[in-house]
Amino acid sequence: QEQLVESGGGLVQAGGSLRLSCTAPEGIVIINAAGWYRQVPGKQRELVATFTSDSGTNYADFVKGRFTISRDRAKRTVYLQMNSLKPEDTAVYYCNLNVQRGPFHRTLDLWGQGTQVTVSS
């Protein structure tokens, strides 16, 4: 499968904000679900936020109230708005989408390349 394109990472001070973007390849019509994960060296990848068509949004406790996941169907893009960032949020963030090229097509699980988020004290 094709890879998702991630962008929006960077270096910010504690208390600042970033918005990560995750764009599906052209031809994708339906985004059934989305998940944002993050990984720190030496630790397992952890789930940050999810969106599903059936259940809506869910957030890990450590980001609840600070992060927001959303989607723009026309742009085939899922976002992660990150506010009130903390140094503990420093990680590589990965996007995962479950998508379809049409309502009668098979589902695909695609991953982004990862984008670095660094929050300084």
Side-chain angles (χ1 to χ4, degrees):
Q1 296 93 325
E2 300 176 63
Q3 192 175 49
L4 305 174
V5 178
E6 293 187 42
S7 63
L11 173 64
V12 297
Q13 292 185 333
S17 298
L18 286 173
R19 188 179 73 165
L20 307 183
S21 299
C22 176
T23 301
E26 293 186 11
I28 297 299
V29 175
I30 301 171
I31 298 177
N32 297 308
W36 285 97
Y37 299 77
R38 69 187 188 186
Q39 188 168 27
V40 177
K43 295 185 177 181
Q44 288 190 326
R45 187 173 298 184
E46 61 183 356
L47 185 63
V48 175
T50 62
F51 171 85
T52 65
S53 297
D54 295 334
S55 303
T57 59
N58 279 284
Y59 301 92
D61 288 340
F62 52 83
V63 304
K64 189 170 294 184
R66 300 188 296 122
F67 291 9
T68 303
I69 187 172
S70 63
R71 68 174 175 180
D72 186 324
R73 299 180 186 182
K75 295 182 178 179
R76 311 185 314 276
T77 298
V78 173
Y79 302 96
L80 184 67
Q81 178 67 46
M82 304 183 295
N83 299 324
S84 302
L85 283 163
K86 305 175 181 179
E88 306 92 273
D89 296 318
T90 296
V92 177
Y93 284 72
Y94 296 90
C95 179
N96 170 242
L97 300 183
N98 181 269
V99 301
Q100 295 174 252
R101 295 189 178 277
F104 307 113
H105 292 68
R106 70 187 189 279
T107 61
L108 303 172
D109 283 291
L110 306 179
W111 286 87
Q113 81 282 2
T115 185
Q116 176 71 47
V117 172
T118 302
V119 185
S120 62
S121 301

